[in-house]
Amino acid sequence: MAKHKSLRFQPAGGERKTQVPVGKKQKLCIERLANDGRGIAFVEGRSWFVAGALAGEEVEARVLAARAQVVEARSERVLIPSALRREPACAHAGRCGGCTLQHLPHAEQLALKQRSLAEQMQRQAGVEPDEWAAPLTGLELGYRRRARIAVRWDVKGKRLEVGFRAAASQDIVAIDDCPVLVQPLQPILRALPALLRTLDKPQSLGHVELFHGTQSALLLRHTAPLGEADLQRLRAFCAEHQAQLWLHGAGEPEPDVPEQRLGYRLEPWNLELQYRPGDFVQVNGAVNQAMVEQALDWLAPQTGERVLDLFCGLGNFALPLAQRVGEVVAVEGVQAMVARARENAAANGLGNLHFFQADLSKPLAGAPWAARGFAAILLDPPRDGAFEVVKEIHRLGAQRLVYVSCNPATLARDAAELVRQGYRLKRAGILDMFPQTAHVEAMALFERG
């Protein structure tokens, strides 16, 4: 009996296209921008997403990855530039993975983010706010108050690499200047590589984090104990740059001087919040303050009301809220953050705050702190959103709800659920927390009835 040839690996529907090889160069005409700021071109039935390209440009791009009908690439040469293209402020733009839109004017960056938010809300939730708020903005450059510096020992070259991760790569780009860092951190960044290369065991160094708030700070991650000579070098460096030294070995990050404290201020409310390396803190201090002001304005909390703050973190919203209302219930998933939020409330003399730890990725059923209901609710969830919480939000009785989001997709998904429960999307707008990138943060106000 004749054997039949297996059909398992034969393509259906015609001849299979040849895969586009990584590294291939291709001339492309860019038709429009994707929501992440990459240019989109179409060639032979494939969609090309090209970093560093603008709509209307002709570019030569190099393939980074390809799968099925989608090709990811990077513009290496602009043959016909867009009239919008501008010279990046940073010499490392295009190689460093931190800023992806420096070649696009700031006004166009804001328009791109606004379109991204509106498209997500319309496509996923089928809603548009009664009013679009103006973008909440700050400085284009010099805004970032924390940064992680990559450090790696090159065994073959016997040298220490220090800088930022490259775009679409694990390579490290040596950075001698970073225009998006706040000014007090820039001289630390410039002098840091030379300092690290003087240490006795560069192979044991991990990353470095820089912070600036009420003071500047440097955190060094190390995988082996540091010798006394290295400690003295680090202490002298930090003293010269008026920065705290924090060390992160086998346990949690610890200050070199035990009484040292890191913090940031919310000036309109005369508040100071303490934090530790590893805690979530918004990187853009000016926009963070403006965001809190806008959230309180939209939520319109009244004296005597009971307000709920979900995903409260260190108390960034909860403490200013407590100055306006009778009681704030603040809930956070990480116990260490709950403890620090309590300490922040006490240090600022606020006694009407009640903090609780709860897994907010699960339903709220049975939570004792939710039993009495609330007049208003503020949510500031991570990128995953707050769907499980939102599904039960109507049980809490709130008439007003402000949702602060770092992911328009999950905001849109959760907005659809809120609308289903009888809330109306009254106002929405973007928060330009990360200028020079396509990252979109947003705020939305919902009202019941």
Side-chain angles (χ1 to χ4, degrees):
M1 182 177 176
K3 292 183 179 180
H4 293 283
K5 185 177 179 181
S6 171
L7 299 178
R8 179 178 298 177
F9 299 109
Q10 291 186 7
E15 185 179 350
R16 179 177 295 172
K17 289 185 178 181
T18 304
Q19 185 64 277
V20 180
V22 172
K24 171 185 169 67
K25 290 186 177 182
Q26 175 76 42
K27 286 185 179 180
L28 299 167
C29 293
I30 307 300
E31 295 193 14
R32 58 187 175 88
L33 288 186
N35 286 338
D36 63 6
R38 291 183 295 175
I40 302 178
F42 301 97
V43 177
E44 297 178 350
R46 290 188 172 95
S47 299
W48 290 64
F49 291 83
V50 186
L54 296 178
E57 291 188 332
E58 183 177 319
V59 302
E60 183 177 75
R62 182 183 294 274
V63 175
L64 302 175
R67 59 190 184 281
Q69 306 300 100
V70 176
V71 181
E72 298 183 22
R74 179 177 61 234
S75 172
E76 296 205 333
R77 193 158 60 106
V78 178
L79 305 174
I80 301 177
S82 163
L84 292 175
R85 178 170 288 275
R86 68 174 181 179
E87 189 67 24
C90 178
H92 307 287
R95 294 189 300 124
C96 172
C99 296
T100 56
L101 293 181
Q102 286 198 16
H103 57 291
L104 186 64
H106 191 225
E108 295 297 323
Q109 295 180 28
L110 296 175
L112 174 69
K113 295 176 184 185
Q114 180 66 50
R115 286 196 301 273
S116 174
L117 176 61
E119 287 174 9
Q120 292 280 9
M121 297 297 278
Q122 185 60 50
R123 183 167 62 247
Q124 292 205 47
V127 297
E128 185 173 331
D130 292 349
E131 174 191 352
W132 282 112
L136 201 62
T137 63
L139 295 173
E140 276 194 68
L141 302 169
Y143 68 84
R144 193 177 183 99
R145 62 180 175 183
R146 65 182 300 178
R148 174 176 288 202
I149 316 301
V151 178
R152 182 173 60 203
W153 176 253
D154 180 352
V155 177
K156 187 174 181 180
K158 296 188 185 313
R159 60 190 179 88
L160 192 69
E161 297 179 326
V162 182
F164 291 127
R165 295 287 179 189
S169 169
Q170 290 300 305
D171 293 343
I172 294 176
V173 179
I175 302 291
D176 51 10
D177 190 31
C178 178
V180 299
L181 278 187
V182 294
Q183 187 56 47
L185 294 182
Q186 294 193 24
I188 299 177
L189 176 66
R190 284 193 287 268
L192 182 65
L195 164 74
L196 297 178
R197 289 174 182 131
T198 66
L199 302 186
D200 292 336
K201 293 182 178 178
Q203 301 92 332
S204 67
L205 302 181
H207 64 264
V208 172
E209 292 188 56
L210 303 180
F211 306 86
H212 183 73
T214 50
Q215 285 187 279
S216 296
L218 181 155
L219 168 73
L220 175 62
R221 177 77 173 94
H222 55 95
T223 57
L226 297 171
E228 187 59 32
D230 283 350
L231 284 172
Q232 292 304 324
R233 292 185 184 101
L234 289 164
R235 288 166 181 156
F237 179 87
C238 288
E240 178 186 352
H241 292 280
Q242 298 180 318
Q244 296 178 6
L245 173 62
W246 288 67
L247 300 169
H248 188 185
E252 293 295 313
E254 296 292 343
D256 184 49
V257 178
E259 61 268 21
Q260 286 179 339
R261 296 290 183 270
L262 280 176
Y264 68 92
R265 289 191 58 77
L266 293 172
E267 291 296 349
W269 304 277
N270 193 30
L271 294 168
E272 186 170 317
L273 280 71
Q274 302 295 319
Y275 66 94
R276 295 173 65 89
D279 292 346
F280 174 76
V281 176
Q282 294 284 7
V283 303
N284 192 323
V287 172
N288 177 65
Q289 183 168 292
M291 175 180 71
V292 175
E293 289 183 293
Q294 180 170 284
L296 267 63
D297 178 53
W298 288 15
L299 198 62
Q302 303 299 307
T303 303
E305 285 186 329
R306 189 170 191 253
V307 176
L308 176 63
D309 179 9
L310 295 172
F311 308 91
C312 70
L314 296 164
N316 191 54
F317 292 103
L319 270 63
L321 272 169
Q323 295 181 345
R324 300 268 295 270
V325 301
E327 180 186 6
V328 175
V329 173
V331 187
E332 167 60 41
V334 181
Q335 184 59 54
M337 297 282 275
V338 173
R340 270 189 283 288
R342 285 197 184 111
E343 293 169 1
N344 282 330
N348 286 280
L350 295 169
N352 61 337
L353 277 154
H354 305 285
F355 292 94
F356 298 91
Q357 188 275 331
D359 184 352
L360 294 174
S361 67
K362 297 179 179 177
L364 301 178
W369 45 264
R372 288 171 47 204
F374 302 91
I377 298 174
L378 189 144
L379 301 91
D380 184 13
R383 290 190 60 79
D384 291 343
F387 191 63
E388 291 301 324
V389 169
V390 164
K391 283 196 300 186
E392 301 182 2
I393 215 82
H394 63 284
R395 301 178 187 274
L396 303 180
Q399 297 300 305
R400 308 180 308 281
L401 185 148
V402 165
Y403 191 129
V404 180
S405 169
C406 58
N407 184 352
T410 52
L411 170 59
R413 178 202 64 196
D414 295 351
E417 175 61 23
L418 287 167
V419 169
R420 190 189 68 78
Q421 293 179 31
Y423 285 91
R424 183 179 181 89
L425 179 58
K426 299 293 290 184
R427 194 179 299 160
I430 63 168
L431 316 172
D432 193 30
M433 194 68 73
F434 296 89
Q436 315 308 330
T437 80
H439 182 82
V440 182
E441 304 231 350
M443 185 182 295
L445 169 67
F446 298 85
E447 291 184 0
R448 193 86 176 262

